[in-house]
Amino acid sequence: MGEAPAFIEDDLQKGFSNGFDLKSEDATPTVFGNKAQYLIGGADDESIRVQVLDHSRGGWVNPTVLGTKPKPCKGHSAVPLNEDRILVIQKGTSLDDGVWFLEVDTQYVREQRKILGTEVVAWSKGVKGNAEKPVVISGPSGVGKGTLISMLMKEFPSMFGFSVSHTTRAPRNMEKDSIHYHFTERSVMEKEIKDGKFLEFASVHGNLYGTSVEAVEVVTDAGKRCILDIDVQGARSVRASSLEAIFIFVSPPSMEELEKRLRARGTETEEQILKRLRNAQAEMEQGKSSGIFDHILYNDNLEECYENLKKLLGLDGNVTATPKSSPYGVDLPLDLSISKIDQKIIIKRGSATENLIVLDLSTLKGGAPGRTRGLNVYAIDSLTDELNGFNQLS
Ligand SMILES: Nc1ncnc2c1ncn2[C@@H]1O[C@H](COP(=O)(O)OP(=O)(O)OP(=O)(O)O)[C@@H](O)[C@H]1O
Ligand SMILES: Nc1nc2c(ncn2[C@@H]2O[C@H](COP(=O)(O)O)[C@@H](O)[C@H]2O)c(=O)[nH]1
């Protein structure tokens, strides 16, 4: 498609036929744009489908759709935002489930387009509340990442959730499937990578490791701050993705001490230990000079290092667990209409001027594939003077 999309909304009428299998009995498809145009609508297989107008070929194409798709609904309203994503509000759905973003030209989508060589769009669910940024922790094998993460999860169980990675390596004695890792076959994981199910993946010490989109979503949906224990290559990929995170590199006091810890752990064969130590050299160089990491932590004395980690995460004072955002418990009306002013979307029932819902998008964080956090949702009794002069969108 090449060009960044310019959006013009043009709701199509029921019975619209585009030659594909989008149907409009249950959902009103929507076309955007005078350059790139996006058609969002119901499909026979009960999912929401997206099509893109390919000007060079003069027809609609089915893009690769990444991220978790919204469930089908009884229609939707769509609002173009910043020329890189479309806000989709599902009619007749609960407010908790009904706010979605279709990313059409974000950094993540552009990268995936290059990798996959196809037109790409990506769904991301809008999540209320201001969950803190995920924390990415990297460092050479044996430096103590897992130990530090366990300490954090033990002290703050309701605040942090671990992103359970997939790996093709064999489980260690004490490791449990779905808790420490999702242990998986290489062929299965490769297929899932091709299907766009992974936020990042890398070949590490001869095995494949990766963070699925779902692994991060599960933690975010539980209202917790997600911790990722991944290697430097993975950290680089996450840095380039839409997942806004804090990146911490854990460094050993010396290579001799790193070797001592790896050997004392007793989980690897001699051959594996040597491989991990060889890789550690490169990881140390990249960790300290690549510009990926926001912070470097020296893990010499474990307790001191843990205290420093807590300081970085703002947990050194009197900390109370972040309360989960309370569910709004409101259904979005079937006859909803939408107005937009600056970064605020006003949702109303038909042409009603009272009991309105405001979606404040100014604090959005993250994005596809997965969840767009930081949605601020509140109710207002009526439109005030400051809200006059909106553009009526749908
Ligand atoms: N500051 C420290 N001083 C001494 N030993 C430590 C320290 N931190 C961690 N260890 C020990 O070092 C070993 C390796 O730690 P850990 O398994 O947490 O490393 P890791 O970085 O998660 O490794 P991997 O990347 O291979 O999973 C463990 O036996 C742990 O108890
Ligand atoms: N890129 C990714 N790296 C990962 C992921 N999960 C773990 N790791 C890294 O692999 C090594 C080895 O781990 P081990 O459990 O076999 O000792 C370590 O550096 C981890 O940080 C992942 O999902 N993606």
Side-chain angles (χ1 to χ4, degrees):
M1 302 290 297
E3 289 169 291
F7 300 104
I8 296 172
E9 186 174 16
D10 173 20
D11 268 4
L12 297 173
Q13 299 307 306
K14 281 178 185 282
F16 170 81
S17 163
N18 61 351
F20 284 80
D21 53 358
L22 287 185
K23 62 173 187 164
S24 56
E25 291 84 38
D26 300 325
T28 307
T30 305
V31 178
F32 291 88
N34 52 8
K35 290 181 191 157
Q37 298 187 357
Y38 299 89
L39 182 64
I40 306 167
D44 291 334
D45 62 359
E46 300 271 293
S47 60
I48 282 198
R49 294 279 294 273
V50 180
Q51 291 176 334
V52 184
L53 186 59
D54 182 341
H55 286 276
S56 60
R57 284 194 266 157
W60 293 97
V61 294
N62 291 322
T64 302
V65 181
L66 303 176
T68 312
K69 291 177 198 162
K71 293 202 181 94
C73 63
K74 297 197 168 80
H76 63 263
S77 278
V79 185
L81 301 174
N82 303 329
E83 301 211 338
D84 64 0
R85 70 195 71 204
I86 300 165
L87 170 69
V88 174
I89 299 180
Q90 295 191 300
K91 298 179 179 178
T93 310
S94 86
L95 189 51
D96 287 328
D97 293 330
V99 179
W100 290 81
F101 296 87
L102 181 71
E103 298 197 2
V104 297
D105 200 40
T106 55
Q107 188 190 354
Y108 171 72
V109 162
R110 285 196 295 270
E111 268 160 21
Q112 293 299 315
R113 209 175 271 157
K114 265 193 229 150
I115 293 168
L116 298 172
T118 62
E119 185 54 45
V120 172
V121 295
W123 283 107
S124 169
K125 187 179 171 193
V127 179
K128 284 181 289 159
N130 217 355
E132 297 279 357
K133 284 181 184 178
V135 184
V136 172
I137 300 190
S138 285
S141 177
V143 72
K145 302 179 296 294
T147 308
L148 289 163
I149 292 170
S150 298
M151 291 165 84
L152 204 56
M153 306 262 296
K154 196 168 167 203
E155 188 176 356
F156 304 100
S158 61
M159 195 178 285
F160 292 99
F162 185 61
S163 158
V164 180
S165 295
H166 282 59
T167 182
T168 59
R169 86 150 160 75
R172 294 174 187 147
N173 273 346
M174 303 299 289
E175 285 180 333
K176 293 200 170 67
D177 191 31
S178 304
I179 292 179
H180 296 98
Y181 279 106
H182 297 289
F183 295 100
T184 183
E185 295 290 322
R186 182 173 278 269
S187 58
V188 174
M189 191 163 163
E190 282 173 349
K191 160 94 174 56
E192 290 183 346
I193 289 170
K194 262 198 194 133
D195 290 346
K197 293 195 174 159
F198 281 81
L199 177 65
E200 63 78 29
F201 60 91
S203 177
V204 190
H205 317 314
N207 284 297
L208 203 52
Y209 292 77
T211 308
S212 71
V213 174
E214 196 182 348
V216 178
E217 282 178 2
V218 164
V219 177
T220 312
D221 286 356
K224 295 185 181 183
R225 190 170 189 182
C226 189
I227 305 186
L228 290 80
D229 174 348
I230 59 178
D231 86 318
V232 175
Q233 307 166 74
R236 182 178 286 113
S237 303
V238 175
R239 190 48 123 178
S241 81
S242 314
L243 190 81
E244 272 185 57
I246 293 183
F247 293 77
I248 299 172
F249 184 79
V250 186
S251 169
S254 65
M255 294 309 276
E256 291 73 29
E257 174 63 17
L258 184 71
E259 179 168 356
K260 226 160 89 184
R261 288 181 196 173
L262 253 186
R263 291 188 182 285
R265 190 171 70 182
T267 48
E268 270 70 39
T269 63
E270 180 61 20
E271 192 189 342
Q272 286 162 349
I273 289 174
L274 294 176
K275 186 183 261 182
R276 284 174 182 239
L277 288 172
R278 274 197 305 277
N279 292 341
Q281 299 281 2
E283 285 178 295
M284 291 292 292
E285 278 159 33
Q286 289 173 36
K288 292 187 174 176
S289 64
S290 60
I292 300 171
F293 294 96
D294 303 308
H295 307 280
I296 296 180
L297 269 184
Y298 288 91
N299 184 15
D300 188 353
N301 177 291
L302 182 60
E303 289 305 325
E304 270 175 30
C305 183
Y306 180 58
E307 287 309 312
N308 287 334
L309 173 62
K310 287 201 289 182
K311 258 187 219 150
L312 285 185
L313 300 176
L315 300 169
D316 48 341
N318 278 338
V319 183
T320 48
T322 316
K324 285 184 192 173
S325 56
S326 59
Y328 200 67
V330 167
D331 279 345
L332 291 160
L334 273 172
D335 60 344
L336 68 78
S337 64
I338 288 176
S339 306
K340 181 172 183 284
I341 182 168
D342 299 328
Q343 305 254 52
K344 289 181 180 163
I345 304 290
I346 315 296
I347 303 174
K348 51 190 174 181
R349 184 180 296 280
S351 56
T353 53
E354 292 181 339
N355 300 325
L356 313 173
I357 299 168
V358 180
L359 299 185
D360 182 352
L361 308 176
S362 62
T363 50
L364 290 187
K365 289 182 183 144
R371 300 289 184 262
T372 298
R373 292 165 288 113
L375 199 59
N376 183 16
V377 185
Y378 54 91
I380 52 172
D381 290 337
S382 63
L383 288 178
T384 57
D385 287 348
E386 65 173 302
L387 298 176
N388 286 336
F390 299 154
N391 296 321
Q392 189 73 17
L393 290 173
S394 66

